[in-house]
Amino acid sequence: MKLNNKVLIAPSILSADFTHLAQEIKSIEKANADWLHIDVMDGHFVPNLTVGPVVLRWIRKTTSLFLDVHLMIEEPSRYVEQFKEAGADSITFHREAVSSPEKLIHQIKKLKSKVGISIRPKTNLSTIYSYLHLVDHVLIMTVEPGFGGQKFIPEMLDKVRTLNKVLKDKNLPCKIEVDGGINALTAPLTVKEGATILVAGNSIFKEKNRSLAIQKIRSSTQNLGSIDNLS
Ligand code: DX5
Ligand code: ZN
C-alpha cells in the first residue's frame, strides 16, 4: 500500500563530523534532504551540551536548507530571538521547559518563525492539547532527549497514533515530527501512524553514502511496516 503524505527527511547534525561541518551539510543537501535539524542542548534540560546561535549563524551561511532548530534548553524564551536572528526557520521548544507555552508560541510567531512543541517520551500528550491549534508541528521524542544513536522506543507509536487522531478529529493542520532512533525500519512505522517529518541522525551520518542513506529511509516510508520488524 502506498502512502501519499509527503514525508520530509530532516538529518540531525548531532551525528555529523563537526570538524567538517560545511562538507557534512553539503553532503546531505546534495542527497536531497528536506530540512536540517539542529539540536541545541544546555546541559540542564538534558545532560549534554551542543551548539548555540553562533554556530547556527555559520550554518545559515553554508546552506539554503530549511533550518529546524530543536531547543532542549531551560528558559527557551530567553534565546528564541537570537536563534531566529541567526537563521532559524523553525523553532521547537519543550513543553516540560516552560510554564506558559502559549506566551512563548506567540513570541516565536511574532518573529515570523515556524513553531513546534515537543514532549519527552514520559510526558503525556494531554499536556499539549491546548496548544495544538497554535503550533505548526508537534515533535514527539522517540528516545530520551540528549544523545544521538539511541534505540527507538516502540511505545511512542501509540502516542503518534493518538496525536494523529486528535489532530484529525479537530481538523487541525499541525504536522507530526518524530525524533530519535529513526531509520529505514522505524520510519515506516511512524509514517503509518501519521508522522510526516522524520529526524534522523545516526542512520544518515554514519553512512558514507548520504544519498543512499536518505533514499533508504524515504523509500521505506512508501511501504507500510510492521512492529515485528523491530525485533
Ligand atoms: C536527541 C536529538 C535527536 C538526535 C537524533 O536528543 O533530539 O535529534 O540527534 O539522533 P538519532 O537519529 O541518531 O537517534
Ligand atoms: Zn532533535
Side-chain angles (χ1 to χ4, degrees):
M1 183 178 161
K2 284 260 176 190
L3 292 164
N4 294 319
N5 271 345
K6 162 77 176 154
V7 170
L8 302 179
I9 312 270
S12 160
I13 59 155
L14 194 58
S15 303
D17 176 349
F18 272 69
T19 59
H20 302 284
L21 198 48
Q23 289 105 299
E24 291 285 73
I25 292 169
K26 281 287 160 234
S27 78
I28 58 108
E29 197 170 352
K30 272 200 216 138
N32 284 325
D34 299 290
W35 286 9
L36 185 64
H37 185 82
I38 318 240
D39 288 305
V40 177
M41 306 185 189
D42 66 351
H44 292 278
F45 183 75
V46 287
N48 198 2
L49 289 159
T50 57
V51 299
V54 174
V55 175
L56 185 67
R57 188 165 292 120
W58 284 101
I59 292 175
R60 178 74 292 168
K61 287 183 191 181
T62 69
T63 182
S64 56
L65 280 169
F66 184 96
L67 299 182
D68 178 35
V69 174
H70 178 192
L71 298 180
M72 284 161 276
I73 62 175
E74 285 174 4
E75 296 188 72
S77 63
R78 286 179 61 187
Y79 301 99
V80 291
E81 274 84 11
Q82 289 182 49
F83 279 102
K84 175 61 196 174
E85 202 209 317
D89 293 300
S90 169
I91 298 176
T92 296
F93 66 90
H94 268 264
R95 171 66 185 94
E96 303 88 354
V98 291
S99 49
S100 314
E102 192 155 349
K103 209 169 145 204
L104 179 57
I105 291 166
H106 288 306
Q107 186 186 354
I108 297 172
K109 279 186 163 175
K110 235 173 138 186
L111 300 170
K112 305 238 176 312
S113 166
K114 297 271 189 209
V115 59
I117 190 165
S118 181
I119 49 173
R120 292 173 181 274
K122 289 192 185 85
T123 303
N124 208 289
L125 260 186
S126 59
T127 62
I128 57 168
Y129 282 161
S130 324
Y131 316 108
L132 296 178
H133 63 294
L134 298 172
V135 295
D136 295 291
H137 54 264
V138 170
L139 193 168
I140 298 288
M141 285 307 303
T142 43
V143 299
E144 199 53 53
F147 299 92
Q150 301 182 75
K151 206 165 173 278
F152 180 85
I153 303 172
E155 288 75 24
M156 295 304 104
L157 291 171
D158 277 345
K159 215 180 208 179
V160 175
R161 182 184 310 128
T162 307
L163 175 60
N164 193 38
K165 185 171 176 341
V166 170
L167 292 172
K168 283 209 164 121
D169 288 349
K170 294 187 175 181
N171 201 18
L172 292 173
C174 169
K175 303 262 191 297
I176 303 176
E177 179 171 15
V178 284
D179 184 5
I182 299 296
N183 54 39
L185 283 180
T186 55
L189 307 181
T190 64
V191 170
K192 184 180 172 186
E193 304 304 352
T196 57
I197 307 167
L198 312 181
V199 177
N202 232 41
S203 64
I204 293 175
F205 281 105
K206 79 163 192 286
E207 299 290 340
K208 273 216 172 83
N209 188 334
R210 307 287 159 72
S211 299
L212 195 62
I214 291 179
Q215 191 45 47
K216 268 192 201 164
I217 297 174
R218 213 184 281 287
S219 57
S220 77
T221 66
Q222 300 301 310
N223 296 303
L224 291 178
S226 152
I227 197 163
D228 300 333
N229 294 349
L230 279 183
S231 56

PDB file of all heavy atoms in Angstrom, residues 37 39 70 72 179 199, ligand 2:
ATOM      1  N   HIS A  37      18.163  19.480  10.790  1.00  0.00           N
ATOM      2  CA  HIS A  37      17.728  19.532  12.188  1.00  0.00           C
ATOM      3  C   HIS A  37      18.914  19.868  13.085  1.00  0.00           C
ATOM      4  O   HIS A  37      19.954  19.223  13.023  1.00  0.00           O
ATOM      5  CB  HIS A  37      17.148  18.161  12.551  1.00  0.00           C
ATOM      6  CG  HIS A  37      16.550  18.058  13.914  1.00  0.00           C
ATOM      7  ND1 HIS A  37      15.266  18.492  14.203  1.00  0.00           N
ATOM      8  CD2 HIS A  37      17.045  17.563  15.075  1.00  0.00           C
ATOM      9  CE1 HIS A  37      14.997  18.250  15.476  1.00  0.00           C
ATOM     10  NE2 HIS A  37      16.065  17.692  16.032  1.00  0.00           N
ATOM     11  N   ASP A  39      20.170  20.342  16.907  1.00  0.00           N
ATOM     12  CA  ASP A  39      19.868  20.044  18.307  1.00  0.00           C
ATOM     13  C   ASP A  39      20.646  20.974  19.231  1.00  0.00           C
ATOM     14  O   ASP A  39      21.871  20.955  19.251  1.00  0.00           O
ATOM     15  CB  ASP A  39      20.229  18.590  18.620  1.00  0.00           C
ATOM     16  CG  ASP A  39      19.256  17.626  17.965  1.00  0.00           C
ATOM     17  OD1 ASP A  39      18.047  17.772  18.203  1.00  0.00           O
ATOM     18  OD2 ASP A  39      19.712  16.753  17.205  1.00  0.00           O
ATOM     19  N   HIS A  70      15.830  22.608  17.289  1.00  0.00           N
ATOM     20  CA  HIS A  70      15.193  21.868  18.386  1.00  0.00           C
ATOM     21  C   HIS A  70      15.870  22.286  19.692  1.00  0.00           C
ATOM     22  O   HIS A  70      16.997  21.890  19.979  1.00  0.00           O
ATOM     23  CB  HIS A  70      15.380  20.365  18.103  1.00  0.00           C
ATOM     24  CG  HIS A  70      14.828  19.463  19.166  1.00  0.00           C
ATOM     25  ND1 HIS A  70      15.108  18.116  19.213  1.00  0.00           N
ATOM     26  CD2 HIS A  70      14.011  19.704  20.225  1.00  0.00           C
ATOM     27  CE1 HIS A  70      14.496  17.570  20.252  1.00  0.00           C
ATOM     28  NE2 HIS A  70      13.833  18.503  20.886  1.00  0.00           N
ATOM     29  N   MET A  72      16.536  22.037  23.346  1.00  0.00           N
ATOM     30  CA  MET A  72      16.430  21.206  24.550  1.00  0.00           C
ATOM     31  C   MET A  72      17.119  21.973  25.666  1.00  0.00           C
ATOM     32  O   MET A  72      18.190  21.611  26.149  1.00  0.00           O
ATOM     33  CB  MET A  72      17.089  19.847  24.300  1.00  0.00           C
ATOM     34  CG  MET A  72      16.225  18.936  23.434  1.00  0.00           C
ATOM     35  SD  MET A  72      17.165  17.603  22.694  1.00  0.00           S
ATOM     36  CE  MET A  72      17.814  18.468  21.269  1.00  0.00           C
ATOM     37  N   ASP A 179      11.543  12.073  16.369  1.00  0.00           N
ATOM     38  CA  ASP A 179      12.976  12.334  16.553  1.00  0.00           C
ATOM     39  C   ASP A 179      13.567  11.323  17.527  1.00  0.00           C
ATOM     40  O   ASP A 179      13.182  11.289  18.691  1.00  0.00           O
ATOM     41  CB  ASP A 179      13.123  13.770  17.099  1.00  0.00           C
ATOM     42  CG  ASP A 179      14.570  14.202  17.239  1.00  0.00           C
ATOM     43  OD1 ASP A 179      15.474  13.458  16.836  1.00  0.00           O
ATOM     44  OD2 ASP A 179      14.779  15.326  17.762  1.00  0.00           O
ATOM     45  N   VAL A 199      13.160  13.065  11.728  1.00  0.00           N
ATOM     46  CA  VAL A 199      14.525  13.474  12.057  1.00  0.00           C
ATOM     47  C   VAL A 199      15.381  12.209  12.140  1.00  0.00           C
ATOM     48  O   VAL A 199      14.966  11.222  12.752  1.00  0.00           O
ATOM     49  CB  VAL A 199      14.562  14.203  13.419  1.00  0.00           C
ATOM     50  CG1 VAL A 199      15.993  14.566  13.801  1.00  0.00           C
ATOM     51  CG2 VAL A 199      13.680  15.444  13.386  1.00  0.00           C
TER      52      VAL A 199
HETATM   53 ZN    ZN B   2      16.335  16.715  17.897  1.00  0.00          ZN
END
